[in-house]
Amino acid sequence: MKELTRKRILVTGGAGFLGSHLCERLVAQGHDVLCVDNFYTGTKDNIAHLLDCANFELMRHDVTFPLYVEVDEIYNLACPASPIHYQYDPVQTTKTSVHGAINMLGLAKRVKAKIFQASTSEVYGDALVHPQTEDYWGHVNPIGPRSCYDEGKRCAETLFTDYRRQHGLSIRIARIFNTYGPRMHPADGRVVSNFMMQALQGQPITLYGDGSQTRSFCYVDDMIDAFIRLMNTRDHPAGPVNLGNPHEVTMREIAERIVAITGSTSALELRSLPIDDPWHRQPDISRARELLGWQPRTSLDDGLVATARYFRARIQASSMSLPDADANAGADFAAPLAHSPT
C-alpha cells in the first residue's frame, strides 16, 4: 500500500534553507526525493544527514540548463532569495528565475508532473496596498537594484500561468513571505540572521530609518507544511497563494526580542534606508486558510528561540565571525560582503 502513495519528487534548490527542510519532510514521508542544487547559496551541510537515506539522492545541477529525469512532482525553489546574494550576480539571478522556470516547466510538461513555483512577496514591490492580497498587482521598480529578483519571479509566475492556460499543466504558485529558522545562511543579510549574528557576537544591532518599517515572519516548519498542503490540493487554485505569517512586527520590535532572547548586551544603531526597500510587508492569508486549511502555528518567540539555538551552535562549532555590522544595509538585507557568497 505504501508503494501506491510513494512519489518521485524533484526539489530544485534542495540544499538551501527552505529546500533542505522540504527534502527532509518529504524523505520522512517515504517519498523518493531528488535534491538538485548548484550550491551557489545552498550547502551540503544542510542535507548531510539525508545522504545515507535510501530514498534521497543529491545531484549538482544548475536549473538554467535542461534536466532530464522522471518524476511525479517538482518543487522549483532554485534561486538566491536574499538581496545580498541575488544582487551579487543580478543577470544570473534573472536567468535562474526565468530560464529555470522554462526548463522545469518543460520537464513537467514532458513527464506530466505537478509543479510548484516558489514565488515571493517581492512581486508586490513597495506595496501601496496593505496587507497584500493575491489580487494586488504590485508596485515594482523594473530597473532598480532589486529588480533582478522581483521581476524574475514575476516573469516566472507569468510562465507558470501560461503553461497552465496553454498546456493544461497542473501548477502551484506560492508567494512566500519572510521565513526564518534553523539553516538560514548566517551571512545572507536577512533581518533575523543579521540580528541573531550581531546579538550573539555582541555587535550593534543595525536598524534602518527609525526601525518602524514592518515585516511578518513565518517559522520554517509552518512554511514547509504549507508547501506540501498546496502541492497536495486536489483542485489546484487558479492563481498564486500567499504563504506567510499575518502577524506584523516592526524592525525595532524584532531586534529587541532577539536581544532579549539571546541575552545580548548589543545596542540598537540607526542607519539610512536603502533603495527600494519596502516599508510594509504583511500577507493576507485568507486564500491559504480557505484552500489549505492552513495558518502558522509557531509563535514568534518560540521560533526565535529555536533559531538562536541553531546560530549559537554554528558559532561555537566554527568560531565564525562575520564582518562588522557596518556592512549591513536595509530592513531585509546587508550590503555585499567583501568575499563572494557561498
Side-chain angles (χ1 to χ4, degrees), residues 7 76 119 129 162 225 242 249 252 319 322 335:
K7 292 177 286 192
N76 186 36
S119 190
V129 171
D162 283 339
D225 181 43
N242 285 341
V249 296
R252 180 177 291 273
S319 299
L322 293 185

Side-chain angles (χ1 to χ4, degrees), residues 203-209 252 266-271 324-326:
Q203 297 177 356
I205 306 293
T206 47
L207 292 173
Y208 295 84
R252 180 177 291 273
S266 294
L268 305 185
E269 193 172 281
L270 300 182
R271 303 289 178 81
D324 185 81
D326 286 344

Side-chain angles (χ1 to χ4, degrees), residues 62-98:
D62 189 319
V63 296
T64 61
F65 298 93
L67 180 64
Y68 301 99
V69 293
E70 303 298 321
V71 293
D72 303 306
E73 293 179 354
I74 302 167
Y75 288 87
N76 186 36
L77 276 60
C79 189
S82 71
I84 191 174
H85 290 149
Y86 67 62
Q87 290 179 13
Y88 181 78
D89 190 345
V91 172
Q92 184 62 27
T93 296
T94 303
K95 285 182 177 180
T96 300
S97 288
V98 178

Side-chain angles (χ1 to χ4, degrees), residues 39-330:
F39 299 107
Y40 176 62
T41 57
T43 171
K44 288 183 181 178
D45 291 342
N46 287 340
I47 43 84
H49 62 295
L50 299 175
L51 294 175
D52 291 333
C53 296
N55 57 328
F56 179 80
E57 182 180 357
L58 175 63
M59 176 189 296
R60 182 187 290 268
H61 180 81
D62 189 319
V63 296
T64 61
F65 298 93
L67 180 64
Y68 301 99
V69 293
E70 303 298 321
V71 293
D72 303 306
E73 293 179 354
I74 302 167
Y75 288 87
N76 186 36
L77 276 60
C79 189
S82 71
I84 191 174
H85 290 149
Y86 67 62
Q87 290 179 13
Y88 181 78
D89 190 345
V91 172
Q92 184 62 27
T93 296
T94 303
K95 285 182 177 180
T96 300
S97 288
V98 178
H99 292 182
I102 290 170
N103 288 330
M104 291 305 106
L105 287 163
L107 172 61
K109 179 187 172 188
R110 181 180 70 81
V111 300
K112 297 180 173 56
K114 289 196 295 184
I115 183 167
F116 172 106
Q117 167 65 6
S119 190
T120 173
S121 61
E122 297 306 313
V123 300
Y124 297 122
D126 191 4
L128 302 178
V129 171
H130 188 73
Q132 292 82 56
T133 67
E134 292 90 347
D135 295 330
Y136 177 52
W137 290 354
H139 179 233
V140 179
N141 178 358
I143 57 171
R146 302 170 70 105
S147 303
C148 58
Y149 184 69
D150 301 2
E151 297 287 36
K153 290 290 190 177
R154 285 164 68 94
C155 185
E157 286 196 13
T158 300
L159 286 163
F160 267 69
T161 305
D162 283 339
Y163 262 78
R164 178 178 180 270
R165 293 190 187 107
Q166 187 170 338
H167 302 295
L169 213 60
S170 181
I171 68 164
R172 312 287 189 275
I173 299 174
R175 287 181 177 165
I176 303 166
F177 284 69
N178 291 62
T179 308
Y180 71 100
R183 298 185 205 147
M184 292 185 79
H185 195 298
D188 67 6
R190 297 189 191 186
V191 174
V192 173
S193 52
N194 259 12
F195 290 177
M196 282 286 179
M197 294 301 295
Q198 290 170 339
L200 289 169
Q201 297 182 113
Q203 297 177 356
I205 306 293
T206 47
L207 292 173
Y208 295 84
D210 60 2
S212 63
Q213 63 270 50
T214 65
R215 295 294 183 269
S216 304
F217 296 96
C218 184
Y219 189 62
V220 62
D221 288 354
D222 293 328
M223 184 60 67
I224 298 306
D225 181 43
F227 283 9
I228 294 173
R229 287 182 184 227
L230 181 55
M231 180 65 94
N232 291 339
T233 51
R234 185 177 298 276
D235 297 318
H236 62 81
V241 178
N242 285 341
L243 298 179
N245 194 323
H247 177 63
E248 188 178 23
V249 296
T250 67
M251 294 298 95
R252 180 177 291 273
E253 181 181 354
I254 193 77
E256 289 172 347
R257 287 198 189 194
I258 287 173
V259 167
I261 283 169
T262 58
S264 176
T265 58
S266 294
L268 305 185
E269 193 172 281
L270 300 182
R271 303 289 178 81
S272 58
L273 284 168
I275 298 172
D276 292 339
D277 196 46
W279 192 259
H280 293 292
R281 185 68 82 232
Q282 180 189 21
D284 181 317
I285 62 168
S286 301
R287 185 176 293 181
R289 286 192 178 106
E290 179 183 350
L291 291 173
L292 311 179
W294 174 87
Q295 64 181 10
R297 299 186 181 278
T298 307
S299 72
L300 181 58
D301 284 345
D302 286 347
L304 290 176
V305 167
T307 306
R309 188 182 306 121
Y310 168 78
F311 279 118
R312 185 176 282 111
R314 284 205 58 168
I315 291 172
Q316 291 173 348
S318 61
S319 299
M320 71 170 65
S321 179
L322 293 185
D324 185 81
D326 286 344
N328 296 345

